Amino acid sequence: MVSSQHDAVHRIFRQEPDLLARLVPEAGVEFPEYSSIEPLDTDLTEIRPLERRVDSFFRVRTADDEGGFLLAVESQSQPDPEKHNSWAYYLAHMYAKYRLPPILLVVCRDKKTAAWAAEPIRIGRRFHTSMEVFPLVLGPIGIRAITDPEEAAKDLALTTFSVLINAKDPGILAILDAVAPVLGPNADWAEFVEAGLDQGSSRDHWRELMAVYTPNFPGLGSVMEETWQEVHADGEAKGEARGEAKAVLRVLRARGVEVTESVQERVMACVDLELLEIWLDRSLVVENADELFGEE
């Protein structure tokens, strides 16, 4: 189980390092032709009392004979001047230890932090700069939200990352609705989204969607229980039918299928549990709400 928003992004990179090659160009540079991207030990401690760890660390082997380069990936949730010291140390230590040129990539989920992180880090005095660091930044400005299910299905890792990087977007609920049918059946990617969302309405909304698309999704617990209690309310036939009907409409809306007033009235008026179960099954696949009813 992914434990935090911070860890979710880096678990994606470690699970699919090649995603970095698809993302780095969004930060404004061309990623070279490569043969492999390998995770490295993230412990950059040089002297034990001064322990420093980078969030994710990779060696990129390029197609030429130059030995490739190092790629350090950091997540940053807010501006922090102390990070300038850490980042400069990371790069200098990596270069000294591995004898390969290091590149710093900073992942931010809000525009203010992304703008701060992109500022060059200059070490020295006004009359002379001894070292200058130019971080590459991935944030909500460069990484657009993917809302087309067909596009989302082509690259699950990129789709998941786009959700997390745009998690603070005012339209995040609509973004989740769009990608849930694609990411939901894959428990690993669905879990990354779960961990990467803020506590509150967006995470609650995602859990409701996963109650439909990923019945065994870890951590749903109370949401699943609440959903099915609603479906089988009080054990009474009328209550069960109403709950089942609401489930049908919820699935349609979660999948982006338009529900007209006449469809809603017909579904909510139905008290035949067997028929409602048929409609619920159909709601997972139909492209038009009227297709629910078939021959009935």
Side-chain angles (χ1 to χ4, degrees):
M1 181 74 179
V2 184
S3 59
S4 68
Q5 298 172 9
H6 180 278
D7 192 38
V9 167
H10 296 282
R11 283 278 299 278
I12 294 175
F13 292 147
R14 291 165 199 154
Q15 178 160 318
E16 188 163 338
D18 288 347
L19 175 62
L20 290 161
R22 305 196 289 279
L23 284 172
V24 168
E26 300 295 337
V29 299
E30 181 180 352
F31 201 91
E33 183 179 351
Y34 67 97
S35 57
S36 67
I37 304 178
E38 307 161 6
L40 297 176
D41 187 352
T42 59
D43 189 350
L44 300 181
T45 302
E46 180 72 8
I47 303 173
R48 284 301 164 188
L50 186 62
E51 182 174 337
R52 296 184 187 272
R53 291 179 183 272
V54 67
D55 291 333
S56 287
F57 191 28
F58 302 88
R59 175 173 180 171
V60 181
R61 298 184 184 274
T62 53
D64 53 37
D65 296 325
E66 296 183 1
F69 60 94
L70 305 174
L71 187 59
V73 186
E74 284 277 278
S75 290
Q76 194 64 28
S77 59
Q78 61 185 9
D80 180 4
E82 288 298 316
K83 278 294 184 178
H84 287 175
N85 298 331
S86 299
W87 293 342
Y89 169 85
Y90 292 163
L91 297 178
H93 177 70
M94 291 170 190
Y95 187 64
K97 180 176 181 178
Y98 293 95
R99 295 294 191 270
L100 290 172
I103 293 174
L104 174 64
L105 182 67
V106 184
V107 179
C108 307
R109 298 203 307 162
D110 67 86
K111 296 178 182 179
K112 178 181 178 181
T113 303
W116 167 83
E119 296 174 357
I121 303 169
R122 294 181 173 87
I123 299 174
R125 304 298 294 178
R126 283 184 296 176
F127 65 89
H128 178 70
T129 299
S130 300
M131 181 187 296
E132 199 161 16
V133 176
F134 296 90
L136 297 175
V137 177
L138 292 176
I141 296 177
I143 306 297
R144 63 180 178 82
I146 296 176
T147 55
D148 178 6
E150 184 174 343
E151 179 185 0
K154 294 178 180 178
D155 193 333
L156 298 184
L158 179 60
T159 297
T160 303
F161 184 83
S162 77
V163 172
L164 301 189
I165 209 69
N166 288 282
K168 296 184 180 297
D169 190 290
I172 183 61
L173 299 188
I175 296 172
L176 296 178
D177 287 340
V179 302
V182 176
L183 299 180
N186 188 306
D188 287 340
W189 298 120
E191 185 183 337
F192 288 140
V193 173
E194 154 82 4
L197 292 172
D198 293 326
Q199 291 280 3
S201 60
S202 59
R203 183 174 290 184
D204 291 343
H205 187 68
W206 182 250
R207 287 177 171 176
E208 289 182 2
L209 293 171
M210 292 305 95
V212 174
Y213 294 107
T214 312
N216 296 321
F217 184 68
L220 284 177
S222 60
V223 176
M224 285 293 291
E225 182 179 355
E226 179 182 347
T227 299
W228 291 110
Q229 281 181 354
E230 181 180 9
V231 172
H232 303 289
D234 303 322
E236 298 179 2
K238 185 176 180 179
E240 290 183 45
R242 182 173 179 80
E244 198 89 357
K246 291 175 70 175
V248 171
L249 298 175
R250 180 181 298 174
V251 171
L252 290 173
R253 293 188 174 111
R255 293 183 55 236
V257 177
E258 182 181 2
V259 178
T260 64
E261 185 175 346
S262 61
V263 168
Q264 177 171 322
E265 290 177 355
R266 182 170 178 179
V267 171
M268 293 304 298
C270 183
V271 294
D272 185 334
L273 283 173
E274 291 186 4
L275 183 55
L276 284 166
E277 288 176 1
I278 293 174
W279 291 352
L280 183 58
D281 290 339
R282 291 177 180 171
S283 69
L284 295 169
V285 296
V286 297
E287 298 299 326
N288 185 297
D290 289 328
E291 296 175 15
L292 280 177
F293 308 122
E295 298 291 330
E296 290 81 32

